[in-house]
């Protein structure tokens, strides 16, 4: 059973149609570019849409679309269209300076850990070592939720291909979320 808060965070089909019309009518502006795609802001809306060439990214969007209550370690995705390689998501905000420093420190420590392992490893393998006790509980809680949600998705080797890096972690509605995966 969904909580009222979750229902209120979802957009209606009518709102989704309105956003799609704005995209079709090119009522958008360029927002950002990544390795695998481009992000546009929809004019006068607090939503972004992304066009991507990464199949795993689309697979994740397909799983989490409309399911923020279950996949709250990811930015809410409200619409996904695999044939057009795009999805619509909420616009996130930058992390606080303290949270951002924590994410950077975790990422740098993870990279060092991965180099020392001598084999492919995931951020979750590093998360489960004793050395992660030095990170803020807020970050560790987010990472544990992310780990569980990635496992629940069952998408190939997503835990190894997850694009976890500081620029892909932001906050939405006061929560730390992945904005790109």
């Amino acid at each position: 059973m969904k909580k009222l808060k979750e229902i209120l965070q979802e957009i209606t089909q009518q709102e989704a149609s309105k956003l799609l019309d704005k995209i079709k009518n090119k009522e958008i502006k360029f927002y950002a570019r990544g390795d695998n795609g481009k992000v546009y802001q929809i004019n006068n809306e607090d939503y972004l849409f992304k066009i991507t060439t990464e199949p795993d990214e689309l697979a994740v969007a397909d799983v989490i679309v409309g399911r923020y209550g279950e996949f709250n370690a990811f930015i809410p995705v409200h619409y996904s269209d695999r044939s057009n390689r795009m999805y619509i998501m909420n616009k996130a905000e930058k992390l606080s300076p303290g949270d951002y420093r924590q994410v950077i420190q975790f990422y740098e420590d993870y990279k060092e850990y991965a180099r020392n392992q001598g084999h492919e490893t995931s951020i979750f393998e590093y998360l489960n070592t004793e050395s992660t006790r030095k990170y803020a509980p807020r970050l560790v809680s987010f990472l544990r939720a992310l780990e569980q949600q990635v496992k629940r998705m069952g998408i190939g080797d997503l835990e190894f291909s997850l694009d976890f890096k500081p620029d892909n972690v932001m906050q939405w509605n006061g929560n730390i979320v992945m904005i790109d995966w």
Side-chain angles (χ1 to χ4, degrees):
M1 176 175 241
K2 289 185 176 183
K3 295 179 182 176
L4 178 59
K5 183 179 179 183
E6 294 171 17
I7 292 169
L8 293 175
Q9 290 175 342
E10 295 177 0
I11 64 173
T12 65
Q13 184 60 40
Q14 183 178 11
E15 290 171 301
S17 293
K18 179 181 92 171
L19 295 174
L20 289 171
D21 285 344
K22 284 187 171 195
I23 292 168
K24 288 176 190 171
N25 295 328
K26 301 201 184 311
E27 295 177 42
I28 57 175
K29 63 181 173 183
F30 178 77
Y31 189 76
R33 174 185 212 105
D35 294 336
N36 300 312
K38 294 180 183 177
V39 179
Y40 298 87
Q41 183 165 1
I42 302 169
N43 290 356
N44 303 316
E45 302 289 343
D46 204 22
Y47 297 100
L48 304 172
F49 84 94
K50 182 170 187 179
I51 298 173
T52 183
T53 59
E54 178 56 46
D56 280 352
E57 189 172 351
L58 289 168
V60 170
D62 285 347
V63 169
I64 69 175
V65 66
R67 297 170 70 187
Y68 180 72
E70 295 174 67
F71 295 98
N72 60 2
F74 295 86
I75 191 73
V77 172
H78 300 286
Y79 177 84
S80 178
D81 182 345
R82 189 174 281 274
S83 63
N84 288 314
R85 302 179 344 258
M86 61 89 69
Y87 56 92
I88 297 174
M89 63 188 155
N90 280 89
K91 183 179 175 186
E93 300 171 357
K94 290 182 179 183
L95 291 171
S96 71
D99 284 344
Y100 190 66
R101 279 192 300 275
Q102 282 280 304
V103 171
I104 288 173
Q105 187 62 57
F106 179 88
Y107 181 66
E108 293 301 322
D109 292 349
Y110 157 69
K111 288 192 316 186
E112 181 66 27
Y113 171 82
R115 278 190 292 273
N116 291 335
Q117 290 304 299
H119 59 83
E120 185 176 34
T121 185
S122 75
I123 63 166
F124 307 124
E125 186 178 321
Y126 174 63
L127 176 64
N128 292 312
T129 66
E130 292 293 316
S131 60
T132 59
R133 292 183 184 200
K134 64 184 175 184
Y135 304 107
R138 175 172 155 82
L139 176 62
V140 172
S141 179
F142 157 71
L143 291 167
R144 295 228 180 272
L146 182 64
E147 177 181 27
Q148 292 306 310
Q149 292 167 30
V150 164
K151 285 180 183 176
R152 194 174 333 134
M153 284 180 198
I155 297 173
D157 65 350
L158 182 59
E159 73 179 80
F160 294 103
S161 63
L162 187 69
D163 195 11
F164 183 88
K165 58 186 177 185
D167 290 344
N168 290 343
V169 180
M170 296 181 83
Q171 71 177 8
W172 181 80
N173 207 23
N175 298 314
I176 300 174
V177 293
M178 290 283 300
I179 60 151
D180 190 4
W181 41 85

